[in-house]
Amino acid sequence: METNLPDTPVCRKRNIRDNTLDDAQLKTRCPLDNGRHNCNPISASFPTNQLDSLPLELIIEVLLQVDIPSLTRFRGLNRRTMQLVNSVRQYTAMIEHCPNIIRAIVSIQVDAFDCSTLYRTLCTSRCSTCNHFGDYLYLIDCRRVCYFCFTELPEYFPLTSHAASRLFTLNAKSNAKSFRKLFELVKPPSILSLPGRYCCGSLTRGGNLQSRRLRLYDRRAVAESLTGSGLSQSDKTNTEPKRFMAIISAPVLLNGGRQVDRGFFCLGCRNEHRDKNKHFRIKYTTEGLSGHIAKYGRVVERIPKIPGTGFMHVKKD
């Protein structure tokens, strides 16, 4: 069940295509079979296996500690494992309300966090590095993030192995070999990107075409794991494609996963570009929108603009 549109003039989407994983044709690349098979309880005459000797509650707790790609592979083994995974409430809630996140995680091979961590993150709303609604997920390590943070902060700019090696300061002869050994030992969170267009563009075109898959590592984890002297690297912020390759939009799961809030853009702020407190890029949860209106005033249509094309905030006297 989805939260209803509030009375305030709002919209779900902007006429901007950011070319994140939302635009990567995930339904085609990673079709899910959830709901296509009959997984009714197996009869008592069906041969049991070692899993059936364990309490269902214990099996569910174990499955919650498994990463999504491994859980997906386990689910596909046979009818019994499919039934077991489908009995995990948190997993079924995510499949129902945000299947593209599951598709993206499987497609880019994210294994740094488990099913329980993903569900807990989806039940939160705040960006992990600021006070805005984090309407995206940074999938390398499962953090909620807003548009401003993932396009501007260094920690959301993932590294290729070549760029990461520049963080590790050794002499020229031993650098590459020592780095590879240490990298294998540390194993920082990473993804294998999908080919496609990334970063901002119009609804019909734009973005930067990436024709091959890249292994991208979490910058923060690399910096914390390796002794380095910093990284001088070109950063084009919102036109840097690598910043968009691990990003996907994420709703908020409410009431134990029974409801979902996908957030709203305020039409009264649709032309605001300078003030980051009410920038047109900011998205609000239903609760957050109420606070926004209380602070900046109700939204009314501009006069004598063409009806429906302009809105503004008006404070009460």
Side-chain angles (χ1 to χ4, degrees), residues 35-69:
R36 298 181 186 177
H37 303 286
N38 179 13
C39 288
N40 293 327
I42 299 171
S43 66
S45 60
F46 195 89
T48 60
N49 54 40
Q50 293 180 347
L51 286 176
D52 292 319
S53 65
L54 300 173
L56 179 60
E57 294 79 7
L58 178 59
I59 295 175
I60 290 176
E61 285 301 315
V62 171
L63 293 178
L64 283 170
Q65 308 306 313
V66 177
D67 63 82
I68 296 298

Side-chain angles (χ1 to χ4, degrees), residues 56-84:
L56 179 60
E57 294 79 7
L58 178 59
I59 295 175
I60 290 176
E61 285 301 315
V62 171
L63 293 178
L64 283 170
Q65 308 306 313
V66 177
D67 63 82
I68 296 298
S70 298
L71 192 66
T72 302
R73 289 192 294 270
F74 175 76
R75 183 180 176 278
L77 290 177
N78 54 49
R79 183 182 170 193
R80 177 55 174 162
T81 58
M82 184 177 292
Q83 181 192 11
L84 288 172

Side-chain angles (χ1 to χ4, degrees), residues 186-298:
V186 173
K187 293 183 179 178
S190 69
I191 65 164
L192 187 62
S193 71
L194 292 175
R197 290 190 178 274
Y198 295 94
C199 70
C200 301
S202 67
L203 284 177
T204 56
R205 59 180 302 175
N208 192 315
L209 180 62
Q210 303 295 306
S211 58
R212 63 190 182 92
R213 305 189 79 169
L214 299 175
R215 174 63 65 179
L216 298 176
Y217 297 89
D218 179 54
R219 178 184 292 259
R220 186 173 67 170
V222 171
E224 291 175 351
S225 303
L226 306 180
T227 302
S229 58
L231 183 69
S232 57
Q233 183 175 344
S234 175
D235 186 354
K236 302 174 183 178
T237 61
N238 67 350
T239 59
E240 171 54 61
K242 287 191 285 294
R243 283 187 175 272
F244 293 74
M245 292 178 177
I247 296 294
I248 192 167
S249 60
V252 179
L253 298 183
L254 306 169
N255 299 328
R258 291 184 291 274
Q259 286 184 294
V260 63
D261 189 343
R262 300 189 185 279
F264 310 95
F265 291 105
C266 174
L267 289 180
C269 301
R270 67 187 302 173
N271 296 315
E272 182 59 62
H273 296 79
R274 297 181 179 179
D275 187 354
K276 283 193 176 181
N277 291 316
K278 56 174 185 175
H279 195 277
F280 77 96
R281 279 281 191 175
I282 298 177
K283 206 170 189 180
Y284 303 91
T285 60
T286 305
E287 181 181 359
L289 185 64
S290 299
H292 175 71
I293 298 302
K295 182 175 182 179
Y296 294 104
R298 65 190 180 91

Side-chain angles (χ1 to χ4, degrees), residues 157-159 162-168 219 228-234:
F157 184 6
L159 302 165
H162 174 71
S165 68
R166 292 163 58 191
L167 278 172
F168 192 55
R219 178 184 292 259
S229 58
L231 183 69
S232 57
Q233 183 175 344
S234 175

